[in-house]
Amino acid sequence: MKYFIVDAFAERAYTGNPAAICLASDALDDAQMQLIAAEFNLSETAFLQPLDDEGVYWGLRWFTPSNEVNLCGHATLAAAHALWQHCDIDADYLRFDTRSGELQVRREAGQMAMRFPRIETSVVEGLWAKDLGGCRAAANAGEDLLIELADEAAVRDYQPDLAKIALLPSRGLIVTAPGEGDCDFVSRFFAPQFGIDEDPVTGSAHCALADYWSKKLAKTAFSARQVSRRGGELGVVLDGDVVILSGRAVSVMAGELL
């Protein structure tokens, strides 16, 4: 089985968020996919299986080292990149059948644009947020929880208490603040519950961040930056109930699972 390691939301290798993309010619059971994801030990391993003869429609599933997840942005971007870069597919769009319904990715002006479902956010008063340090506001964000800090520097310098975060009733914690310069907002993402202390760039979190910041900034198009150690850049557009996430990706490795 062929695989590729792709850095997503990256302009150059060894930045952005790495994902393993496996082209599964034969069906794998859940236990096999989970073992392979644990072997790669990246934040996400994606499994692709063709669903048509044209190479446009694919089954797509995502696994962390410890769990299957319902939605993953960077591994979807990486999967589309791998198909276009390495599998001789001419179509300008790809369709993926996933646990979150059908997702589409298009090639546009040298980037890839993904259409993902908008995740509604609602501001809450929670004691959990006060225990996490520096919180100005807190919100429910679908499967995740979100806290807003004072500024970009506070997000960059944030020291997560992973033990407390692991006890939250959520997939993970989004930490965000207004950005500086040409960046509308910044974020970081922590999911120790799923074996990911910090995710380098989290596309799915921006489905909620788009909703959250559209309410605060009264706009629908954003330049976003995830300020993890590796870092990543995303274009984010809110279009009704859809969030369009755009970015680039770089292949860094290819091989075969024995």
Side-chain angles (χ1 to χ4, degrees):
M1 182 168 58
K2 290 183 179 179
Y3 74 85
F4 306 94
I5 305 296
V6 177
D7 290 341
F9 297 115
E11 299 287 338
R12 63 188 187 280
Y14 315 122
T15 63
N17 200 350
I21 309 302
C22 298
L23 299 180
S25 55
D26 298 321
L28 300 171
D29 63 35
D30 292 4
Q32 288 174 310
M33 287 187 280
Q34 189 62 73
L35 286 170
I36 292 168
E39 185 77 4
F40 279 117
N41 200 33
L42 296 173
S43 61
E44 298 289 347
T45 296
F47 295 88
L48 286 167
Q49 191 162 22
L51 298 178
D52 67 6
D53 295 328
E54 289 75 38
V56 173
Y57 191 32
W58 297 80
L60 175 61
R61 295 174 70 177
W62 310 279
F63 288 78
T64 77
S66 60
N67 298 84
E68 184 173 10
V69 298
N70 293 322
L71 184 65
C72 179
H74 86 275
T76 302
L77 194 79
H81 169 86
L83 291 171
W84 274 316
Q85 189 78 12
H86 305 291
C87 298
D88 299 322
I89 295 173
D90 293 327
D92 286 330
Y93 75 97
L94 296 168
R95 299 164 54 214
F96 297 103
D97 180 57
T98 79
R99 291 177 72 168
S100 292
E102 182 175 308
L103 304 177
Q104 296 183 7
V105 185
R106 290 185 176 271
R107 292 191 283 197
E108 298 178 355
Q111 293 194 340
M112 292 172 288
M114 307 185 293
R115 296 180 66 85
F116 272 33
R118 175 181 187 167
I119 296 175
E120 294 281 347
T121 59
S122 57
V123 175
V124 296
E125 294 290 337
L127 293 176
W128 58 267
K130 297 177 181 178
D131 290 336
L132 297 174
C135 176
R136 298 179 64 184
N140 289 320
E143 293 184 300
D144 301 317
L145 296 171
L146 179 153
I147 60 173
E148 180 186 344
L149 304 186
D151 52 31
E152 181 172 328
V155 175
R156 290 182 180 275
D157 296 339
Y158 186 73
Q159 299 295 317
D161 186 330
L162 295 174
K164 287 183 179 179
I165 294 172
L167 296 176
L168 295 175
S170 67
R171 178 187 68 158
L173 177 70
I174 304 167
V175 179
T176 188
E180 299 173 355
D182 61 352
C183 179
D184 293 297
F185 62 83
V186 299
S187 66
R188 291 170 69 190
F189 184 79
F190 308 96
Q193 303 93 312
F194 278 69
I196 305 167
D197 287 349
E198 180 169 6
D199 194 36
V201 190
T202 315
S204 61
H206 286 77
C207 296
L209 286 163
D211 179 81
Y212 183 80
W213 285 109
S214 70
K215 296 170 182 175
K216 297 188 76 83
L217 300 179
K219 59 189 297 186
T220 57
F222 310 91
S223 176
R225 181 176 298 120
Q226 196 151 332
V227 290
S228 63
R229 181 180 59 82
R230 291 174 62 104
E233 310 284 337
L234 305 88
V236 182
V237 175
L238 184 60
D239 182 14
D241 290 331
V242 173
V243 176
I244 302 170
L245 304 174
S246 59
R248 293 183 171 87
V250 182
S251 298
V252 296
M253 192 181 304
E256 185 175 356
L257 287 165
L258 303 177

Coordinates of all heavy atoms in Angstrom, one line a residue, residues 152 179-186 219 221-225 233-234:
E152 N -2.2 38.5 20.2 CA -1.4 37.4 19.5 C -0.3 36.9 20.4 O 0.0 35.7 20.4 CB -0.9 38.0 18.2 CG -0.1 36.9 17.4 CD 0.3 37.4 16.0 OE1 -0.5 38.2 15.4 OE2 1.4 37.0 15.5
G179 N -5.4 39.0 15.4 CA -4.0 38.9 14.8 C -3.4 40.3 14.7 O -4.0 41.3 15.0
E180 N -2.2 40.3 14.2 CA -1.5 41.6 14.0 C -1.1 41.7 12.5 O -1.0 40.7 11.8 CB -0.2 41.6 14.8 CG -0.5 41.6 16.3 CD 0.8 41.4 17.1 OE1 1.9 41.3 16.5 OE2 0.7 41.4 18.4
G181 N -1.0 42.9 12.0 CA -0.6 43.2 10.6 C -1.7 42.7 9.7 O -2.8 43.0 9.8
D182 N -1.3 41.8 8.7 CA -2.2 41.3 7.7 C -3.0 40.1 8.1 O -3.7 39.5 7.3 CB -1.5 41.1 6.4 CG -0.4 40.0 6.5 OD1 -0.1 39.6 7.7 OD2 0.2 39.6 5.5
C183 N -2.9 39.7 9.4 CA -3.5 38.5 9.9 C -4.7 38.9 10.7 O -4.6 39.7 11.7 CB -2.5 37.7 10.7 SG -3.2 36.2 11.5
D184 N -5.9 38.4 10.4 CA -7.1 38.8 11.2 C -7.2 38.1 12.5 O -7.7 38.7 13.5 CB -8.4 38.4 10.3 CG -8.5 39.2 9.1 OD1 -8.6 40.4 9.2 OD2 -8.4 38.6 8.0
F185 N -6.8 36.8 12.6 CA -6.8 36.2 13.9 C -5.8 35.1 13.9 O -5.4 34.6 12.9 CB -8.2 35.6 14.3 CG -8.8 34.6 13.4 CD1 -8.4 33.2 13.5 CD2 -9.7 34.9 12.4 CE1 -8.9 32.3 12.7 CE2 -10.2 34.0 11.5 CZ -9.8 32.6 11.7
V186 N -5.3 34.7 15.1 CA -4.4 33.6 15.3 C -5.0 32.6 16.2 O -6.0 32.8 16.9 CB -3.1 34.1 15.9 CG1 -2.4 35.1 15.0 CG2 -3.3 34.7 17.3
K219 N -17.1 40.6 9.5 CA -16.6 40.3 8.1 C -16.7 38.8 7.9 O -16.9 38.0 8.8 CB -15.2 40.8 8.0 CG -14.2 40.2 9.0 CD -12.8 41.0 8.9 CE -12.2 40.9 7.6 NZ -10.8 41.4 7.6
A221 N -14.4 37.2 5.3 CA -13.2 36.7 4.7 C -12.0 37.1 5.6 O -11.9 38.2 6.0 CB -13.0 37.3 3.3
F222 N -11.2 36.1 5.8 CA -10.1 36.3 6.8 C -8.8 35.7 6.3 O -8.7 34.7 5.6 CB -10.4 35.5 8.1 CG -11.8 35.8 8.7 CD1 -12.9 35.0 8.3 CD2 -12.0 36.9 9.5 CE1 -14.2 35.3 8.8 CE2 -13.3 37.1 10.0 CZ -14.4 36.3 9.6
S223 N -7.7 36.3 6.8 CA -6.4 35.7 6.7 C -6.1 35.2 8.1 O -6.1 36.0 9.1 CB -5.4 36.7 6.3 OG -4.1 36.2 6.3
A224 N -5.8 33.9 8.3 CA -5.6 33.3 9.6 C -4.2 32.6 9.7 O -3.7 32.2 8.7 CB -6.7 32.2 9.8
R225 N -3.7 32.6 10.9 CA -2.4 32.0 11.1 C -2.5 31.1 12.4 O -3.0 31.6 13.4 CB -1.4 33.1 11.3 CG 0.0 32.5 11.5 CD 1.1 33.7 11.6 NE 1.1 34.4 10.3 CZ 0.9 35.7 10.1 NH1 0.5 36.4 11.2 NH2 0.9 36.3 9.0
E233 N -0.5 28.9 7.5 CA -1.3 30.0 7.0 C -2.5 29.4 6.3 O -2.4 28.5 5.5 CB -0.5 30.8 5.9 CG 0.9 31.3 6.4 CD 0.8 32.4 7.4 OE1 -0.2 33.1 7.4 OE2 1.8 32.6 8.1
L234 N -3.7 30.1 6.5 CA -4.9 29.7 5.9 C -5.7 30.9 5.4 O -5.8 31.9 6.1 CB -5.8 28.9 6.9 CG -5.3 27.7 7.7 CD1 -4.6 28.1 9.0 CD2 -6.4 26.7 8.0

